Amino acid sequence: YNAENYVGHPEITIVKPVKKMVITSGDSDNDESKNVMSERQQLAPRETVTGYRLSRVRLPTSSIEPFTPFKPNRGESVASSTAASASIASTSASTASLSSPPPRLPVVGGDSIVHYELLTPMDTIFGKIALSNNMNNIGSSSTPSSNDGSVGYIRLTRFSRASTAGYINAISKLEEAGAQSFIIDVRNNYGGIIQEAMLSASTLLRDPHMVLCYTMNSRGGFTPHDVEEYIVDSRFPGYLLSSEDRKVTRNQVAREKPDMFEEDGIMWVPPSSFASLHEQKLKRGLHPPTTIPAMNAQFVSDTSSSSPSLRFLPISESDTIQQRQRQAQKKIVILVNEGTASSAEFFASALRDNGRIVALVGAKTYGKGLIQHTFPMPDGGGLRLTVAEYLTPTLKHVTKVGNARYDRDTGELVGGGIRPDVYCPSNQGIPKNIGSDICVGMALDVLDDAGET
C-alpha cells in the first residue's frame, strides 16, 4: 500500500464478490429486440454476483521505527519546502487525469512534547488505497478529497506548562492552515500535571459550569472541578475550536458573577469539599454531564428491543441555543491506548463525558486515578500513601477499586481504565509516518461518518 514506516500486523477484512456465469436464452416478447439481437448475442454468457466472501487477514510489515516528532534543523527548512514542492509537482503531473486539487505545502511542527500536522483523508493508508483504485479505474468519476476536509492532528506526550503552550500554538497554526476538525492523540501519554490537563480540556468546553472531574479525599471531602475554575487562570486562552468568539465563556462568567472580576484581581471562591452534589448544583450551577457525544446528541441508543438501534430525539425550543453552540463546534476525536494514564485519562473523560468529542478511538486506558504522597523513611526508603482519588464527570472510578469487579449498568468486568467508543488495537505501535497509522485512519473514518471530512 506504499505506506512508509508502518508498524505491526494490522487486521483487515477483505470483501470479495462471488460470481457465477449465466447464459440467457434470449426469449423475449419484444419483436424489435429479436430482430436486432443476433443468435450469438442472445446466448452470450454474463456474470452475476451471487454474494460476497469475507476474509480477515493480517498484513506483516517490515519497519518497527518508533514515533519520532518533527525536529527541524537549521538551514533545512527552505530546502525541505523546495523538495516538498517538487515532490508535489511530480505527483500532480502523474495524477492530472484525476482532476486533483491544487498542491499544498505540508503543515507540520512541534517538538518532543507536542507534535502537530495537517492531514487529509488522502494522507492515510485508506486514502492511498482509494487513490490507487481511482488510478487503476480510468473511467471512475471519483476524485480525491479537497482541502476543505483537512484535519488537524495534535499529539500530546505529557501534560505540563510546556504542553499547554504547545497545544494552544498547535491549534492556532492548524486553524490558520484550514483545519476543519481535529484528532488529539494521547496514546502513550503517561499523564503529568492534572491542572494542566484540565486547563487544556476547559478550552474546549462552552459551558463554564461543566464538571471536568471530582476529587474525593480520605476525610470524606468531595470536590467538583469545573471549567470556571480554570477560566480565572491568566494563561486561559479562551474557548477554542469553535466559530464562536474566544471570549464567550469568560463573558458568560462575568455576566453571572460580576464581582468575580475586580480591578485589583480575580476574586474566585473554590467550591466546598463537604457539600452534597445537590447543594453544589444549586449554589454553583454545576451541570451534570450528558454522556452523549455532542455531535450525536439528537440520537440515543434504543436498548428496549433485542436488537439495539438508534432513534431520533426531537429537539425542543429550549435546546435551540445549545444546538447552535454544538453546530459551531469543530468535531474532535481522541486517540487512546494502554499507555494513556493518569491526567491523560481524565483529559479524555472530561471531554467525552461532557459530549464534546465525536468518539474515543483506541484501546482501554491504563487506569490510574489515585493521588499519592511519598513520605521519607529513616532508613532512606519511602512510603507512598494514597490520600485522594479522582473521579470522572460521570462519577466513575478510573482505578480498579476493591471488589467492584462488574459494572452495575452493563454487567461488564471492571478492571480499571476507560473503554473507547471505537476499538483499535495498539499492538502496531505508533509509526513515524502518521499517514500509515491504522488508528489515525479509523479516526478519520469516524470524522467522515460525522459528516466533516
Side-chain angles (χ1 to χ4, degrees):
Y1 299 109
N2 298 325
E4 301 86 0
N5 300 322
Y6 192 81
V7 179
H9 299 74
E11 295 183 357
I12 296 179
T13 300
I14 298 178
V15 181
K16 296 182 178 180
V18 178
K19 301 179 181 180
K20 69 176 182 179
M21 302 298 296
V22 177
I23 301 177
T24 58
S25 61
D27 294 338
S28 175
D29 297 334
N30 193 339
D31 295 336
E32 294 182 1
S33 63
K34 289 183 179 180
N35 295 334
V36 175
M37 188 180 301
S38 64
E39 181 179 356
R40 181 179 178 183
Q41 290 175 325
Q42 294 178 18
L43 298 179
R46 61 184 179 87
E47 289 185 344
T48 60
V49 178
T50 60
Y52 295 90
R53 180 183 295 112
L54 302 181
S55 303
R56 295 195 66 182
V57 298
R58 302 188 71 188
L59 300 178
T61 55
S62 58
S63 177
I64 56 173
E65 294 185 31
F67 174 85
T68 54
F70 174 76
K71 293 183 179 180
N73 296 325
R74 294 183 178 178
E76 291 187 1
S77 58
V78 178
S80 60
S81 300
T82 305
S85 302
S87 176
I88 293 175
S90 61
T91 304
S92 60
S94 61
T95 59
S97 60
L98 297 175
S99 300
S100 60
R104 60 181 176 88
L105 293 177
V107 179
V108 59
D111 50 29
S112 60
I113 300 176
V114 180
H115 173 80
Y116 65 88
E117 188 169 339
L118 187 68
L119 302 176
T120 65
M122 288 298 105
D123 292 327
T124 67
I125 184 174
F126 302 116
K128 293 176 181 178
I129 296 175
L131 181 61
S132 176
N133 292 338
N134 287 337
M135 294 179 66
N136 293 333
N137 187 4
I138 301 177
S140 176
S141 61
S142 59
T143 59
S145 300
S146 65
N147 290 341
D148 294 336
S150 297
V151 179
Y153 171 88
I154 302 175
R155 183 167 187 237
L156 303 171
T157 59
R158 73 194 72 163
F159 285 100
S160 61
R161 293 181 68 91
S163 72
T164 303
Y167 158 80
I168 297 172
N169 176 69
I171 287 180
S172 300
K173 294 293 185 182
L174 293 173
E175 283 192 314
E176 290 176 0
Q180 301 298 317
S181 53
F182 283 79
I183 298 174
I184 301 178
D185 190 351
V186 290
R187 291 176 296 176
N188 293 345
N189 185 321
Y190 60 82
I193 303 175
I194 183 68
Q195 289 80 6
E196 299 297 330
M198 295 299 96
L199 176 59
S200 299
S202 63
T203 63
L204 303 176
L205 298 177
R206 171 65 174 80
D207 190 349
H209 304 297
M210 284 183 171
V211 178
L212 300 170
C213 65
Y214 292 92
T215 303
M216 182 173 60
N217 60 34
S218 58
R219 297 183 298 274
F222 193 73
T223 307
H225 303 276
D226 58 357
V227 176
E228 181 183 293
E229 179 177 344
Y230 296 92
I231 289 179
V232 299
D233 193 311
S234 59
R235 296 180 295 122
F236 182 74
Y239 180 46
L240 304 179
L241 300 189
S242 173
S243 59
E244 294 187 80
D245 186 73
R246 287 194 173 191
K247 298 181 180 180
V248 63
T249 306
R250 183 185 176 94
N251 292 340
Q252 179 180 339
V253 177
R255 289 194 306 267
E256 296 175 353
K257 302 177 181 179
D259 298 337
M260 180 181 295
F261 300 95
E262 301 289 346
E263 295 181 358
D264 55 347
I266 298 176
M267 304 296 295
W268 178 76
V269 179
S272 172
S273 299
F274 297 97
S276 64
L277 286 177
H278 179 69
E279 185 178 357
Q280 296 282 7
K281 292 178 183 178
L282 292 179
K283 290 187 175 182
R284 304 187 66 89
L286 298 181
H287 292 170
T290 62
T291 68
I292 301 176
M295 297 301 108
N296 304 317
Q298 66 270 34
F299 296 97
V300 296
S301 178
D302 187 3
T303 57
S304 59
S305 61
S306 57
S307 57
S309 60
L310 293 178
R311 58 187 176 88
F312 182 75
L313 287 181
I315 301 176
S316 62
E317 294 181 2
S318 59
D319 296 332
T320 304
I321 297 178
Q322 293 184 1
Q323 187 66 16
R324 286 201 299 264
Q325 294 173 357
R326 289 169 179 166
Q327 292 175 353
Q329 295 173 344
K330 295 184 178 180
K331 294 180 175 62
I332 302 173
V333 168
I334 295 181
L335 294 176
V336 296
N337 66 355
E338 293 90 344
T340 304
S342 190
S343 303
E345 293 178 281
F346 289 96
F347 171 82
S349 64
L351 297 176
R352 184 175 75 165
D353 291 353
N354 285 293
R356 180 58 183 91
I357 64 175
V358 176
L360 206 63
V361 178
K364 190 178 72 170
T365 61
Y366 181 80
K368 183 183 183 299
L370 300 179
I371 305 173
Q372 297 175 322
H373 286 178
T374 302
F375 298 91
M377 303 300 290
D379 60 354
L383 172 64
R384 300 184 67 182
L385 185 64
T386 300
V387 296
E389 181 186 6
Y390 286 110
L391 302 179
T392 67
T394 53
L395 299 176
K396 298 288 186 180
H397 294 279
V398 172
T399 307
K400 180 180 177 181
V401 179
N403 295 324
R405 299 185 58 83
Y406 293 93
D407 188 281
R408 63 180 181 180
D409 297 329
T410 63
E412 296 180 352
L413 180 65
V414 177
I418 301 173
R419 288 179 174 82
D421 302 310
V422 179
Y423 176 74
C424 178
S426 61
N427 53 0
Q428 74 268 13
I430 304 178
K432 180 179 179 181
N433 182 4
I434 298 176
S436 304
D437 194 326
I438 283 287
C439 293
V440 172
M442 292 183 67
L444 288 170
D445 282 348
V446 171
L447 291 172
D448 186 51
D449 290 340
E452 187 63 34
T453 56

